[in-house]
Amino acid sequence: MGKVILIGAGPGDAQLLTVKGLAALQKADVIVYDRLVEPAMLQERKASCKLIYVGKEPSHHPIPQEEIEQILVRESKVNELVVRLKAGDPYVFGRGGEEGETLYQAGIPFEVIPGITSAIGGLAYAGIPVTHRDFASSFHVITGHLKKGRDPLDWEALARLEGTLVFLMGMTNLPNICANLLAGGRKPETAVGIVQWASRGKQLTVTGDLVTIEQKVAESGISSPALIVVGDVVTLRPQLNFFEEMPLFHTKILLPRARAGKSMLAENIRDLGGEVTMYPNIQVLDIKPTTTAEQLARKSELLFTSKEAVERFFSYVTEINLDIRSLKNTHLTAIGKQTNEAFKEKGIIPDTFIKRRSNELVLEHLPRIQKNESSLIIGSVIDTAEVKAMLPEITSIQMMPLYDMRPVTERPFDLQCFDQICFASSRAVHNLLEVLTSEEKALLQQKTILSIGKFTSATLKTFGFHDFYEAESATPESLIKLIKKTKLEGVPQ
């Protein structure tokens, strides 16, 4: 029998998942997740992790709550760690208490990792503090999703409260909420805010009062998922609205991936308020090397193509009981900034650092590599093959792949909804365009396409793409600059 962890995913932004929640997510054998969970969180799972979708939509629950609870019981009996990933906090109208009770009755150990509820975090992203010394010394979180024919709320008592009122899951009941608060004595000019998709790049906020808010919602097109906040704290939004003022707010970007792991480019885009979808999910499969300690010791140069290669190499030399000091006369080369930093984390400064751009490897370092004919390229299957292809003159160079990266080709997105498609490498171009249909490629031609540099641009052209914009230099910083330029100016000069 395994264990179940109920994890709160937070209000929406994947970066608001707690550190403890992320650690559990990465270890999970099974993840049972809701509709409002940000897909980027699921990409943190290990390759063998099983996903079970149990999402509920307003007035449509394809999988009843009782069945969800039985899924947790069933999966925990055959898996070591089952994660129930829920939007917000498990115990704030998330029915986590009911799931915990079921697990307790079944004798299954469980744990709860709290999440940031949208009643607090979602409002903060809309520039609305849930409390403030001058406006509200208390707040009250209320479910707006009431059972049909039943209204257990004391509206007169709620109307008399001077604190902030936050209604979750209440958009369908907005007219009733406003009418009942007015009938209970709340002033018509009481400020009201509606926040849809709180903390995400597509967040939409509308403000008004108890009389005007319904009309403003109708004009804006806001619908579920959204939260309702009633109180004077809403008037602080013009001063505290930090998120919606970010330069890439409401910019939806597709970032095709070439590698597994975290993407600093994606994190930088999110830090600027953009919404990023990364595709595809990359599975990393370890490869057992056949190179012996004696063979490694005879190599004159080791070329590392990635930080993952460095990490796996050090694990391998430990496994074969090779003292790294025996390689003191071996030339170590790091290809790429992250590879170089991975060496430094090990307390080693590589003899050569090659920037991962243009033809520098061939043009600048070919003469030296030619002298070191007994060289070994260490990295992924794709990386080692690509680097060797750049060195056709050297026939004796060998490869030591330590892992393979395989794209998972499910596509949980609609190309139509993206503002920009940003390619940060030639491999990323292949990973996306090789799986698109001719109709999808035609649709892609109508989008704003950005390329990080001339190698990536050349690959785009081989697929028939010519109408795109290229960053000034092949760096993430330059690509970010281009993203901002196209957002602010429409078309770069």
Side-chain angles (χ1 to χ4, degrees), residues 227-484:
L227 55 90
I228 303 166
V229 55
V230 180
D232 292 338
V233 291
V234 176
T235 62
L236 292 168
R237 173 173 152 79
Q239 302 158 251
L240 305 179
N241 182 21
F242 73 95
F243 182 52
E244 295 175 24
E245 298 299 323
M246 289 183 172
L248 293 183
F249 180 69
H250 269 185
T251 305
K252 193 162 186 178
I253 297 171
L254 176 63
L255 185 62
R257 307 178 80 195
R259 316 182 64 78
K262 292 185 179 296
S263 167
M264 291 302 297
L265 180 59
E267 291 184 14
N268 290 339
I269 292 171
R270 292 190 183 109
D271 287 343
L272 293 170
E275 184 177 355
V276 183
T277 296
M278 293 192 291
Y279 172 85
N281 182 35
I282 307 292
Q283 290 186 344
V284 179
L285 305 175
D286 289 330
I287 296 175
K288 185 73 172 179
T290 58
T291 307
T292 65
E294 292 75 16
Q295 289 172 327
L296 280 174
R298 290 198 297 268
K299 294 299 178 183
S300 58
E301 178 169 10
L302 303 179
L303 296 92
F304 293 80
T305 66
S306 67
K307 69 173 184 177
E308 293 84 3
V310 175
E311 293 164 355
R312 283 168 169 78
F313 177 78
F314 275 86
S315 296
Y316 180 59
V317 296
T318 300
E319 182 182 329
I320 62 177
N321 199 32
L322 174 64
D323 188 340
I324 196 68
R325 292 173 298 181
S326 65
L327 302 179
K328 62 182 180 180
N329 294 322
T330 303
H331 195 100
L332 300 180
T333 295
I335 301 176
K337 180 179 178 181
Q338 292 185 346
T339 311
N340 196 43
E341 291 175 351
F343 267 114
K344 291 180 179 179
E345 290 176 2
K346 301 290 184 182
I348 297 173
I349 306 298
D351 300 288
T352 302
F353 167 45
I354 301 176
K355 294 180 181 179
R356 190 183 290 277
R357 64 167 78 170
S358 67
N359 262 334
E360 288 190 46
L361 178 62
V362 176
L363 299 179
E364 295 183 19
H365 302 282
L366 181 57
R368 178 187 52 73
I369 296 173
Q370 282 178 322
K371 294 179 181 178
N372 296 338
E373 290 190 357
S374 181
S375 299
L376 187 65
I377 307 172
I378 301 173
S380 70
V381 172
I382 293 175
D383 285 345
T384 53
E386 287 183 345
V387 173
K388 187 169 184 178
M390 295 173 69
L391 303 168
E393 295 88 346
I394 306 176
T395 58
S396 61
I397 198 166
Q398 296 179 333
M399 300 185 294
M400 180 179 165
L402 295 179
Y403 62 101
D404 196 5
M405 297 186 295
R406 297 183 184 176
V408 180
T409 56
E410 79 266 11
R411 278 178 282 164
F413 61 80
D414 178 6
L415 280 175
Q416 187 66 52
C417 69
F418 293 103
D419 303 303
Q420 299 180 1
I421 290 81
C422 300
F423 292 100
S425 70
S426 294
R427 177 52 52 185
V429 176
H430 283 279
N431 284 349
L432 178 64
L433 296 182
E434 286 180 350
V435 300
L436 296 186
T437 64
S438 57
E439 292 79 8
E440 289 171 324
K441 289 179 182 178
L443 175 59
L444 201 63
Q445 294 273 18
Q446 303 171 21
K447 298 294 180 178
T448 300
I449 299 176
L450 309 181
S451 165
I452 197 171
K454 61 182 181 181
F455 268 26
T456 304
S457 297
T459 305
L460 279 168
K461 290 176 183 177
T462 64
F463 280 92
F465 287 79
H466 300 278
D467 187 14
F468 57 83
Y469 306 104
E470 184 180 304
E472 292 180 2
S473 61
T475 63
E477 294 79 11
S478 185
L479 187 55
I480 287 287
K481 182 179 178 181
L482 183 60
I483 292 171
K484 292 167 67 176

Side-chain angles (χ1 to χ4, degrees), residues 185-197:
R186 204 71 184 249
K187 295 179 180 180
E189 62 270 21
T190 300
V192 180
I194 310 292
V195 187
Q196 182 184 37
W197 292 111

Side-chain angles (χ1 to χ4, degrees), residues 73-302:
V73 172
R74 182 178 67 247
E75 293 296 333
S76 66
K77 291 181 178 180
V78 293
N79 293 281
E80 186 174 343
L81 179 59
V82 177
V83 159
R84 174 71 170 108
L85 189 61
K86 308 167 74 69
D89 180 271
Y91 284 176
V92 180
F93 303 129
R95 306 191 74 169
E98 298 169 50
E99 293 169 355
E101 286 182 290
T102 297
L103 294 169
Y104 173 79
Q105 292 165 3
I108 297 168
F110 70 93
E111 179 183 342
V112 178
I113 299 178
I116 302 172
T117 173
S118 62
I120 298 174
L123 291 185
Y125 267 64
I128 303 172
V130 73
T131 64
H132 189 283
R133 288 182 63 183
D134 296 331
F135 298 100
S137 58
S138 64
F139 68 93
H140 313 269
V141 183
I142 307 145
T143 178
H145 185 64
L146 303 174
K147 291 184 178 180
K148 290 184 178 179
R150 181 186 175 197
D151 188 351
L153 298 178
D154 186 340
W155 288 101
E156 288 188 5
L158 287 174
R160 288 195 302 270
L161 292 171
E162 295 184 358
T164 305
L165 304 181
V166 183
F167 295 86
L168 302 184
M169 303 172 292
M171 284 305 294
T172 56
N173 284 320
L174 178 62
N176 292 332
I177 291 171
C178 293
N180 284 321
L181 288 175
L182 287 169
R186 204 71 184 249
K187 295 179 180 180
E189 62 270 21
T190 300
V192 180
I194 310 292
V195 187
Q196 182 184 37
W197 292 111
S199 80
R200 299 193 186 185
K202 54 186 173 182
Q203 175 178 299
L204 184 59
T205 307
V206 171
T207 60
D209 57 39
L210 286 173
V211 175
T212 64
I213 193 64
E214 291 179 55
Q215 181 62 32
K216 290 191 174 185
V217 165
E219 293 171 354
S220 69
I222 279 185
S223 61
S224 298
L227 55 90
I228 303 166
V229 55
V230 180
D232 292 338
V233 291
V234 176
T235 62
L236 292 168
R237 173 173 152 79
Q239 302 158 251
L240 305 179
N241 182 21
F242 73 95
F243 182 52
E244 295 175 24
E245 298 299 323
M246 289 183 172
L248 293 183
F249 180 69
H250 269 185
T251 305
K252 193 162 186 178
I253 297 171
L254 176 63
L255 185 62
R257 307 178 80 195
R259 316 182 64 78
K262 292 185 179 296
S263 167
M264 291 302 297
L265 180 59
E267 291 184 14
N268 290 339
I269 292 171
R270 292 190 183 109
D271 287 343
L272 293 170
E275 184 177 355
V276 183
T277 296
M278 293 192 291
Y279 172 85
N281 182 35
I282 307 292
Q283 290 186 344
V284 179
L285 305 175
D286 289 330
I287 296 175
K288 185 73 172 179
T290 58
T291 307
T292 65
E294 292 75 16
Q295 289 172 327
L296 280 174
R298 290 198 297 268
K299 294 299 178 183
S300 58
E301 178 169 10
L302 303 179

